[in-house]
């Protein structure tokens, strides 16, 4: 299926596809080239960029951001800058304050301090802010949220309840990729190499899809990405997105991984547009993603690492 064909269908479905920010420590030039490819080839509606995991990585990408955003906007993509997910130091607070003040692009707030700075202004509430009930949803919307990205661990029933009370406002669901589960002030990546967080030597760059973590019995269990604990399995809601779209979900997020993301986006677009069957899409996805198995357990109210067909 060609990118040209898929792009012609990109607006045929009400639900939009979004590309989340790169969570891993990919080299800055690789990120730039990745976003250029997304701009030119991928039928995605919204692209989030920025450093959300570790502020030490941010200076490498920063010089490329204006060029990346310009390329994406010229290609008709909506651009959103994502803020850091855990703000701890005075330097990080200062940088976040400057970003909120100066950014010409829309912002995704991934920390309550960012939401406080953005109060009364249109913004997006990111997946690192816990939104579990209708009152929290209403509170954020009333204080300027344009869209809210729901946490990954919500069940389908909980999502349906939030969608039914949402009054037509924008809600985004995490539909593909390893999902961030927890944050820490410590850097597990550095510690695993016998290094401190301040002297980490950026060893997380060695694991572009995260570092697998095993149980004492040698069973793959989680993944680590700097200060993030992530799922080992790859969240895949290809079979659920059409039902969620009918219930009122307006956006579906695909987290970048070291796979052919243009092809992944094409498959999700085709699924939303009814251009392929689930079996066909899932077969192609299995060929593309070979570093970990799929899961959708959270959605079905069971263990998150399980796959419910």
């Amino acid at each position: 299926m060609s990118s040209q064909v898929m792009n012609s269908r990109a607006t045929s479905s009400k639900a939009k596809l979004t590309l989340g920010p790169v969570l891993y420590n990919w080299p800055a030039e690789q990120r730039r080239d990745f976003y250029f490819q997304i701009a030119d080839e991928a039928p995605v509606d919204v692209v989030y960029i920025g450093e959300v995991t570790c502020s030490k990585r941010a200076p490498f990408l920063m010089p490329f951001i204006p060029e990346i955003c310009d390329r994406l906007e010229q290609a008709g993509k909506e651009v959103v800058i994502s803020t850091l997910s855990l703000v701890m130091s005075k330097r990080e607070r200062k940088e976040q304050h400057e970003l909120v003040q100066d950014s010409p692009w829309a912002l995704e707030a991934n920390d309550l301090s960012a939401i406080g700075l953005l109060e009364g202004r249109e913004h997006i509430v990111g997946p690192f802010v816990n939104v579990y009930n209708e009152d929290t949803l209403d509170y954020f919307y009333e204080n300027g949220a344009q869209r809210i990205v729901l946490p990954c661990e919500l069940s389908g029933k909980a999502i349906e309840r939030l969608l039914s009370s949402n009054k037509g406002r924008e809600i985004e669901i995490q539909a593909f990729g390893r999902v961030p589960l927890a944050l820490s002030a410590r850097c597990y990546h550095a510690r695993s190499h016998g290094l401190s967080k301040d002297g980490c030597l950026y060893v997380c760059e060695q694991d572009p899809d995260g570092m697998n973590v095993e149980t004492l019995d040698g069973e793959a269990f989680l993944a680590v990405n700097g200060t993030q604990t992530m799922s080992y399995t790859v969240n895949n809601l290809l079979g659920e997105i059409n039902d969620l779209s009918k219930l009122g979900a307006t956006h579906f997020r695909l987290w970048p991984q070291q796979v052919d993301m243009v092809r992944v986006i094409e498959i999700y677009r085709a699924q939303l547009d009814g251009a392929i069957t689930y079996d066909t899409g899932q077969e192609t996805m299995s060929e593309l993603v070979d570093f970990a198995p799929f899961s959708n357990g959270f959605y079905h109210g069971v263990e998150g690492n399980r796959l419910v067909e």
Side-chain angles (χ1 to χ4, degrees), residues 10-261:
T11 57
S12 62
S13 172
K14 180 180 179 181
K16 295 182 178 181
L17 288 179
T18 78
L19 184 69
V22 175
L23 297 175
Y24 310 100
N25 189 15
W26 296 358
E29 292 81 3
Q30 179 184 335
R31 284 208 216 187
R32 177 201 60 196
D33 294 344
F34 169 74
Y35 285 118
F36 284 178
Q37 183 188 24
I38 293 298
D40 296 342
E41 302 177 21
V44 67
D45 302 282
V46 184
V47 180
Y48 296 82
I49 67 174
E51 182 54 55
V52 303
T53 304
C54 176
S55 63
K56 290 179 64 177
R57 305 174 184 173
F60 299 105
L61 180 66
M62 197 171 299
F64 296 109
I65 286 182
E67 185 182 10
I68 290 170
C69 292
D70 183 60
R71 182 76 163 262
L72 289 166
E73 289 181 328
Q74 286 184 15
K77 320 296 188 190
E78 176 189 337
V79 174
V80 180
I81 304 296
S82 299
T83 71
L84 197 64
S85 57
L86 184 61
V87 178
M88 296 180 290
S89 68
K90 184 177 181 180
R91 172 183 59 83
E92 290 170 347
R93 292 197 301 272
K94 179 176 181 292
E95 290 172 351
Q96 180 169 260
H97 196 275
E98 291 173 349
L99 177 62
V100 170
Q101 281 189 319
D102 301 335
S103 175
W105 301 284
L107 292 174
E108 176 189 60
N110 285 303
D111 179 89
L112 286 177
S113 62
I115 289 179
L117 292 172
L118 288 163
E119 184 175 0
R121 292 172 49 185
E122 277 200 356
H123 61 276
I124 294 152
V125 176
F128 298 91
V129 178
N130 293 332
V131 178
Y132 294 133
N133 57 60
E134 298 89 335
D135 289 340
T136 305
L137 206 68
D138 288 339
Y139 175 83
F140 285 133
Y141 282 127
E142 290 165 3
N143 284 276
Q146 168 193 350
R147 179 162 68 248
I148 293 175
V149 187
L150 295 182
C152 63
E153 65 267 27
L154 288 178
S155 68
K157 290 181 179 179
I159 294 173
E160 182 177 355
R161 186 172 65 250
L162 291 175
L163 291 173
S164 66
S165 68
N166 191 42
K167 306 166 188 174
R169 298 169 296 196
E170 294 183 357
I171 281 189
E172 186 168 329
I173 309 293
Q174 300 176 65
F176 171 80
R178 279 183 162 167
V179 289
L181 300 172
L183 299 166
S184 172
R186 294 185 177 184
C187 179
Y188 300 115
H189 238 121
R191 190 173 183 180
S192 71
H193 289 265
L195 300 168
S196 67
K197 183 178 180 181
D198 291 337
C200 66
L201 303 180
Y202 301 98
V203 292
C204 50
E205 190 176 43
Q206 299 175 18
D207 300 292
D209 277 313
M211 178 179 67
N212 293 344
V213 177
E214 297 180 347
T215 66
L216 293 176
D217 296 326
E219 182 180 353
F221 178 50
L222 296 168
V224 162
N225 170 40
T227 59
Q228 280 183 350
T229 301
M230 309 185 72
S231 63
Y232 165 69
T233 55
V234 177
N235 182 43
N236 180 1
L237 297 187
L238 188 68
E240 290 79 16
I241 56 174
N242 289 96
D243 288 339
L244 284 166
S245 178
K246 292 174 183 176
L247 289 170
T250 59
H251 296 70
F252 294 100
R253 173 170 299 201
L254 314 179
W255 289 108
Q257 303 285 169
Q258 285 276 328
V259 300
D260 185 349
M261 285 303 301

Side-chain angles (χ1 to χ4, degrees), residues 235-237 240 294-300 304 306-309:
N235 182 43
N236 180 1
L237 297 187
E240 290 79 16
F294 292 129
S295 63
N296 59 9
F298 283 134
Y299 181 86
H300 291 280
R306 286 175 53 184
L307 179 64
V308 180
E309 293 290 353

